[in-house]
Amino acid sequence: MTSQATENGTQRRSVPSREVLSQTDRVVNAISQHHHRSRSVKSTALDQQIRASEGEKMSRASSTRHRERSPLRAQSEKQQGENARAASTESSSTTSAIYQQPKMLSNPEVTLLSTALSPLALRVSSPPLSYQVQGSKKPMSLDRMGLDVQHAVIMEDLLYVLLGSEGQYIRFHERYNPSAEADRLSGPEFRLAKGLDPSLRDLTKNLLKLATYRSSVEAFIEIQSKTEYGVVNHALCAAIRHIMKEYLALMSDMEYKMLTSPSFTLNTFHIETMDMARKLTELNYIVQQISRKEESVAEYTDELGTDFDKIMETLKANDGNLNALNNIGISKTTSMITKGGDVIKLLTDRLYSVSGDPASRELLTYLVREASRPYMKMLNMWLHRGIIADPFNEFLIKEQKSIRRERLDEDYTDEYWDKRYTLRKDDLPPQIGDSRTCDKILLAGKFLNVVRECGGVDVSNEIKDAPETIDDPRLLSNINAAYAHANGYLLSLLINTHKLSERLTSLKHYFFLDQADFFTNFMDVAFHELRKAAKNVSTSKLQSLLDLALRQPGSITATDPFKEDISVQMNEVGLTEWLMRIVSVSGLDPRDIAAMQLSTTTPATDKSSERDDKKGITGIQALQFDFKIPFPLSLVISRKTILRYQLLFRHLVALKHIEQLLGVAWLDQAKTAGWARRSRSVHLQKWKSKVWNLRAKMLVFIQQVLYFSTTEVVEPNWSSLMAGISDVNTVDALMQNHVDFLDTCLKECMLTNSKLLRVMAKLMSACKLFATYTTQLSKTLPGIDSEAADADSGALDKVTKLESILLQYEQNFDHHLKILMDALNYYAATETVVLLSLCARLEVCMISETRNGL
């Protein structure tokens, strides 16, 4: 309607022919036409007063048309004459070509934009630029006008340009494309018509910078207000929009002064807009910085990583369903957006750099304060509720929703605690960019998140007395207070409510065989089942036998409230082979632990594993316990720590089993007649003595290693752990102390050193084979004894063969024992001093037992 009214108004005010109008008349007419095109047909009271004044002047000058007069009076008379002739020449074809309505591009019309814009952005197409109009005529050249007329024309054009439109003599440069986002953000360049006086040109160029900055800022507001740019950008745009309202009010004031004040000049215009120009200069700098940041993020190095993480998270959340990838929108534009803490960081850095300028400091302080409000709301929700309300992924804490609490039973890498919530280290605002502060923020929310999932946080209450802006001086104290509160709350929940100490004591009974009368009973009743190959063992039968042993009256476990959580498992890979795949001098790595657990269900591919699979391991070698831990105790006693308990358990069970085999061999040798009575053959009797000595050395070796592992490794470290539970101040420290305890036990039990592990495996294998070998000889030894007494040559050959086999056992055991002693001395001096105790104990015992002839 406005365009139609303007068009009609223009037609009713047609101009006289070129022959009648003088140069000054045409300029006055141009100004009048320009005013009419920008307003509706209904004129304001001020316009009516001007026309009345011009009519009086025209009537007084009707008889003196060719008389000399002042330029302003001549202009007024000519304009009144034009209005008088307009009624009689409305259909005349003699309208001046200078003001002829230009022909537009093919059917110019307003269209709605199809692209998704921000809610407050313009949704109609922009008008065509002047150079796109077909058949348009150029206005009168400026060099044909006087200085006063140029001043009036340029002032009029500047008002249009400063509001985003083109003027008659100030046009957009041909390089500027308003439909291109990059051009809009950079701001338009302008070209001035030729002939403008130099005194006006300099001031005009300075004011045109204001127009460029204004267009750039308006484009920034329109673009950054889109939904995907996040709430921080939205808050920033709202703050800038408030400043742009002040700009519009200033332009309205400038127009009013230009129309009403004869003393209003271009220089006055420039002076009165200087404060706003400084503000827009700062805003334009921020716009360009954010734009350049987004261009740098557009590199594919970060882009590919972001999309890959998004794909993997979607696949995990949907259990590997590839169809779920059709529902995610991996947008290159979205991943290139500068948002959240990164925006606050840019604003803060700029604030620090202009801190010496009071006006700029005030502006940027206002922008930082307003932009940080939604960010601080998210921070307070995380600190005081343990909840992330971050729909646009701009908060400093990143949540992996695919890692769920329900998967804790399968989590062998502490993924739930370590990876579900992580820091976005590249997007941290400087106000909370300190590493210790960030860790406190992360842990405070983690702690409360755990408590909330256990029903311990009331989320219905409103958060009070929390800082609302990031420049609030209470920010750090609020973070520290929230961290202390959350940490104390979760510690109390774990230690008091869920009885962490009692759980750990129960684990010690079951996995470290502390007061393990139940385990002796279990091994006795399950002996025949455990002798089978691991793949043939009935786990359900073993579980039933274990339940009977646990409920045995008088047993330490009969009154244990957690005995229902223990279960039997069969690991198809031997302990030594299992550890050798992942062990190193530095210890166990979480990724190796996950791979190790995977190896229990995935067939091994290396040659040694193939040999083990061919031979197979027995049930006693594959036996291990599992323990169900409820949430939130599963954060401290995680699957990763349970796996360490299982390693230590299998090591102790192996030592106890070999000790039992050597004990059975000793009893057999003491009861069987072939072993107990003195042989009539001297060679056979010496062989028996050597067998007893070697068996005694092996038994003492196994007993000393078992004693060392339990009494000198597990017990001291256990005491330190339990003492630390009462003194610990943070949940993270509690979790770390527990893991350190297990790692120390593994290291001091020689399970994390490849050389010690290999030597110990060979010594234990030799002891086991020798015990089995001597037990099997009990049946054939009496026959060999009787034959040797008769001096039978065949019997002598058998005795010689027995001596040869025994010599091999002795040499093998002594050789590897010496290697072990040397390695223990070396590693005791370089790594773990506690190994020196085992070394000294083995030396004394071996010498003592050998001298006693046991």
Side-chain angles (χ1 to χ4, degrees):
M1 286 181 63
T2 304
S3 61
Q4 292 176 358
T6 305
E7 221 174 63
N8 294 336
T10 304
Q11 291 175 0
R12 283 194 295 269
R13 292 170 178 80
S14 56
V15 298
S17 62
R18 188 183 302 271
E19 292 79 11
V20 179
L21 292 178
S22 65
Q23 176 179 347
T24 305
D25 296 333
R26 286 195 296 269
V27 172
V28 174
N29 190 33
I31 296 175
S32 177
Q33 292 289 338
H34 203 63
H35 275 291
H36 285 299
R37 285 197 301 271
S38 63
R39 294 193 295 265
S40 62
V41 177
K42 295 181 180 181
S43 302
T44 62
L46 179 63
D47 293 333
Q48 294 173 0
Q49 293 175 6
I50 293 174
R51 284 198 297 271
S53 175
E54 290 174 349
E56 293 176 1
K57 293 178 183 179
M58 191 67 184
S59 62
R60 287 195 303 267
S62 58
S63 60
T64 56
R65 179 107 181 142
H66 302 288
R67 189 173 51 195
E68 292 184 0
R69 51 204 169 192
S70 65
L72 291 177
R73 186 172 182 179
Q75 292 172 9
S76 301
E77 292 176 357
K78 285 299 179 183
Q79 184 175 0
Q80 182 63 30
E82 174 197 344
N83 294 336
R85 289 189 296 272
S88 60
T89 58
E90 186 172 355
S91 60
S92 176
S93 61
T94 60
T95 305
S96 175
I98 298 178
Y99 307 104
Q100 184 178 354
Q101 192 75 10
K103 294 182 180 180
M104 306 298 292
L105 294 173
S106 56
N107 295 327
E109 58 184 9
V110 177
T111 59
L112 288 175
L113 298 177
S114 60
T115 56
L117 300 175
S118 57
L120 299 180
L122 293 176
R123 296 179 179 271
V124 296
S125 58
S126 57
L129 302 182
S130 58
Y131 65 87
Q132 296 174 325
V133 179
Q134 297 178 355
S136 61
K137 301 297 183 177
K138 292 183 179 181
M140 179 185 295
S141 177
L142 289 174
D143 53 10
R144 300 174 60 186
M145 302 179 187
L147 182 60
D148 292 342
V149 178
Q150 286 188 6
H151 185 276
V153 169
I154 290 299
M155 286 272 286
E156 183 79 12
D157 270 15
L158 276 174
L159 279 176
Y160 282 95
V161 171
L162 289 174
L163 291 176
S165 301
E166 290 184 299
Q168 291 288 331
Y169 299 95
I170 304 176
R171 301 288 177 87
F172 292 137
H173 201 282
E174 286 81 357
R175 291 192 297 266
Y176 175 67
N177 182 8
S179 61
E181 185 176 294
D183 285 1
R184 294 167 61 202
L185 286 172
S186 299
E189 296 181 18
F190 296 95
R191 52 185 179 87
L192 288 170
K194 296 180 180 180
L196 183 62
D197 189 88
S199 62
L200 300 177
R201 180 177 292 274
D202 292 339
L203 284 174
T204 303
K205 286 183 177 180
N206 287 333
L207 288 169
L208 287 180
K209 293 179 182 179
L210 186 62
T212 300
Y213 297 159
R214 177 260 171 200
S215 298
S216 174
V217 172
E218 287 288 352
F220 176 82
I221 294 174
E222 181 178 333
I223 294 169
Q224 300 290 119
S225 295
K226 295 179 183 178
T227 304
E228 63 268 20
Y229 280 78
V231 292
V232 174
N233 274 320
H234 296 168
L236 175 62
C237 290
I240 297 177
R241 192 178 285 111
H242 180 74
I243 298 174
M244 296 311 295
K245 288 181 180 178
E246 297 178 2
Y247 175 85
L248 290 176
L250 176 64
M251 291 300 105
S252 176
D253 185 49
M254 294 299 100
E255 182 182 19
Y256 176 77
K257 289 182 179 180
M258 186 188 71
L259 294 175
T260 60
S261 175
S263 62
F264 187 77
T265 63
L266 195 60
N267 190 45
T268 307
F269 198 146
H270 178 255
I271 292 174
E272 297 215 7
T273 57
M274 286 180 67
D275 291 340
M276 182 57 65
R278 280 194 293 267
K279 290 183 179 181
L280 289 186
T281 301
E282 284 299 330
L283 292 178
N284 179 71
Y285 179 84
I286 294 169
V287 169
Q288 303 309 319
Q289 285 293 103
I290 293 177
S291 300
R292 281 195 288 268
K293 177 74 174 178
E294 291 179 350
E295 290 174 3
S296 63
V297 176
E299 299 296 331
Y300 280 99
T301 52
D302 294 338
E303 172 62 21
L304 292 177
T306 301
D307 287 353
F308 180 75
D309 291 342
K310 193 170 184 179
I311 291 172
M312 294 305 297
E313 183 176 347
T314 303
L315 288 176
K316 286 181 180 180
N318 293 274
D319 297 325
N321 185 7
L322 295 177
N323 294 328
L325 295 179
N326 298 327
N327 301 325
I328 64 174
I330 299 176
S331 171
K332 181 177 179 181
T333 304
T334 302
S335 62
M336 293 189 297
I337 292 173
T338 302
K339 56 186 178 181
D342 215 1
V343 173
I344 299 175
K345 182 180 179 181
L346 287 173
L347 293 173
T348 306
D349 291 343
R350 182 60 180 171
L351 173 61
Y352 293 159
S353 64
V354 299
S355 56
D357 183 0
S360 298
R361 184 175 66 248
E362 181 182 359
L363 171 65
L364 287 164
T365 301
Y366 166 73
L367 294 178
V368 170
R369 183 182 300 118
E370 295 302 316
S372 64
R373 288 185 184 277
Y375 196 85
M376 288 300 299
K377 187 176 180 180
M378 290 187 282
L379 179 61
N380 290 326
M381 284 291 291
W382 173 250
L383 288 175
H384 300 283
R385 295 286 184 270
I387 298 174
I388 291 184
D390 183 22
F392 303 109
N393 299 322
E394 52 188 330
F395 187 48
L396 70 125
I397 306 296
K398 178 182 179 182
E399 180 182 10
Q400 291 280 0
K401 295 183 179 179
S402 61
I403 303 175
R404 298 191 294 267
R405 167 184 164 183
E406 291 76 13
R407 296 189 178 186
L408 280 174
D409 292 339
E410 306 170 3
D411 183 10
Y412 288 88
T413 58
D414 281 355
E415 221 180 30
Y416 181 83
W417 183 256
D418 294 336
K419 296 183 180 179
R420 184 177 181 185
Y421 298 106
T422 55
L423 285 171
R424 289 188 172 97
K425 296 184 179 180
D426 296 333
D427 300 336
L428 299 177
Q431 292 85 348
I432 53 176
D434 179 69
S435 59
R436 293 185 61 184
T437 305
C438 291
D439 290 340
K440 286 183 178 181
I441 293 173
L442 177 63
L443 292 175
K446 277 186 178 183
F447 297 159
L448 279 184
N449 185 268
V450 173
V451 176
R452 181 175 55 83
E453 293 197 11
C454 298
V457 177
D458 186 4
V459 297
S460 61
N461 294 334
E462 184 181 355
I463 300 174
K464 298 180 180 179
D465 298 329
E468 297 182 354
T469 60
I470 205 166
D471 60 345
D472 194 311
R474 300 175 298 163
L475 175 62
L476 294 181
S477 61
N478 178 59
I479 293 173
N480 293 330
Y483 172 74
H485 170 73
N487 182 68
Y489 207 146
L490 184 55
L491 268 179
S492 176
L493 184 71
L494 293 173
I495 297 175
N496 300 327
T497 306
H498 290 274
K499 301 179 180 179
L500 175 63
S501 299
E502 287 81 352
R503 282 278 180 181
L504 292 175
T505 303
S506 182
L507 284 171
K508 184 186 179 188
H509 290 325
Y510 296 127
F511 287 94
F512 296 154
L513 306 181
D514 175 56
Q515 301 176 356
D517 53 343
F518 82 95
F519 188 73
T520 303
N521 296 333
F522 171 69
M523 293 290 286
D524 290 341
V525 297
F527 176 74
H528 294 289
E529 190 70 23
L530 292 174
R531 289 179 61 186
K532 299 178 183 179
K535 59 184 178 181
N536 298 327
V537 173
S538 173
T539 307
S540 59
K541 184 176 181 180
L542 287 179
Q543 184 64 48
S544 299
L545 295 175
L546 178 63
D547 291 340
L548 289 175
L550 292 175
R551 289 164 176 79
Q552 189 74 23
S555 172
I556 190 66
T557 59
T559 57
D560 186 2
F562 309 118
K563 59 179 176 291
E564 301 294 337
D565 296 329
I566 194 74
S567 61
V568 175
Q569 287 183 346
M570 286 287 113
N571 194 322
E572 296 181 358
V573 181
L575 174 64
T576 302
E577 184 61 33
W578 197 10
L579 285 172
M580 287 301 296
R581 297 178 188 176
I582 54 112
V583 81
S584 63
V585 175
S586 59
L588 296 177
D589 185 86
R591 291 172 294 181
D592 295 332
I593 292 175
M596 179 171 58
Q597 177 62 22
L598 183 63
S599 68
T600 64
T601 56
T602 304
T605 57
D606 59 317
K607 296 181 180 179
S608 59
S609 298
E610 290 176 0
R611 289 199 304 269
D612 287 345
D613 290 341
K614 289 179 181 178
K615 293 189 296 182
I617 59 174
T618 61
I620 190 64
Q621 293 174 313
L623 176 67
Q624 68 181 23
F625 287 162
D626 195 14
F627 204 80
K628 295 180 181 178
I629 305 294
F631 186 84
L633 286 178
S634 54
L635 296 176
V636 179
I637 311 173
S638 62
R639 293 308 305 173
K640 185 170 68 174
T641 58
I642 290 293
L643 192 56
R644 286 167 163 82
Y645 278 108
Q646 290 174 340
L647 293 175
L648 289 166
F649 170 78
R650 294 184 70 183
H651 173 65
L652 296 177
V653 168
L655 290 173
K656 276 191 169 292
H657 176 58
I658 296 173
E659 181 188 22
Q660 184 183 27
L661 291 178
L662 290 171
V664 170
W666 176 76
L667 289 174
D668 186 61
Q669 293 169 14
K671 293 179 179 180
T672 305
W675 288 100
R677 71 185 179 187
R678 187 175 183 83
S679 298
R680 287 177 291 176
S681 173
V682 177
H683 293 288
L684 186 59
Q685 187 62 35
K686 288 183 178 179
W687 176 82
K688 288 181 181 179
S689 299
K690 291 181 179 179
V691 169
W692 294 335
N693 286 334
L694 182 58
R695 185 258 307 150
K697 288 171 63 176
M698 289 181 174
L699 181 59
V700 170
F701 167 75
I702 293 297
Q703 287 175 340
Q704 291 300 325
V705 173
L706 182 60
Y707 178 84
F708 170 77
S709 299
T710 55
T711 307
E712 297 192 16
V713 173
V714 173
E715 283 298 332
N717 288 302
W718 177 264
S719 299
S720 300
L721 173 66
M722 297 308 291
I725 288 179
S726 58
D727 299 334
V728 73
N729 295 321
T730 66
V731 177
D732 241 29
L734 175 63
M735 297 168 63
Q736 190 60 47
N737 288 347
H738 188 216
V739 174
D740 290 344
F741 156 73
L742 293 170
D743 286 343
T744 302
C745 290
L746 286 169
K747 185 176 183 180
E748 294 181 355
C749 287
M750 301 173 289
L751 299 181
T752 60
N753 187 297
S754 57
K755 184 174 182 179
L756 292 176
L757 189 60
R758 281 193 295 265
V759 175
M760 277 297 300
K762 290 178 180 179
L763 286 169
M764 292 171 67
S765 178
C767 294
K768 179 181 177 182
L769 291 175
F770 182 74
T772 306
Y773 169 68
T774 55
T775 302
Q776 292 172 351
L777 282 178
S778 298
K779 298 179 180 179
T780 60
L781 190 59
I784 297 174
D785 190 10
S786 61
E787 291 176 2
D790 298 335
D792 188 355
S793 59
L796 293 176
D797 291 340
K798 291 180 180 179
V799 172
T800 304
K801 186 175 181 181
L802 290 175
E803 290 178 342
S804 175
I805 295 174
L806 177 61
L807 180 63
Q808 291 180 5
Y809 274 111
E810 285 182 332
Q811 290 178 347
N812 183 42
F813 182 78
D814 292 339
H815 172 70
H816 288 101
L817 182 58
K818 185 179 184 303
I819 293 176
L820 177 64
M821 302 285 282
D822 293 340
L824 288 174
N825 280 300
Y826 173 76
Y827 289 115
T830 57
E831 293 185 12
T832 309
V833 69
V834 73
L835 295 177
L836 194 60
S837 173
L838 175 61
C839 184
R841 187 178 294 276
L842 290 177
E843 284 180 353
V844 172
C845 291
M846 291 301 103
I847 294 173
S848 175
E849 295 296 338
T850 303
R851 286 178 179 176
N852 291 334
L854 296 178

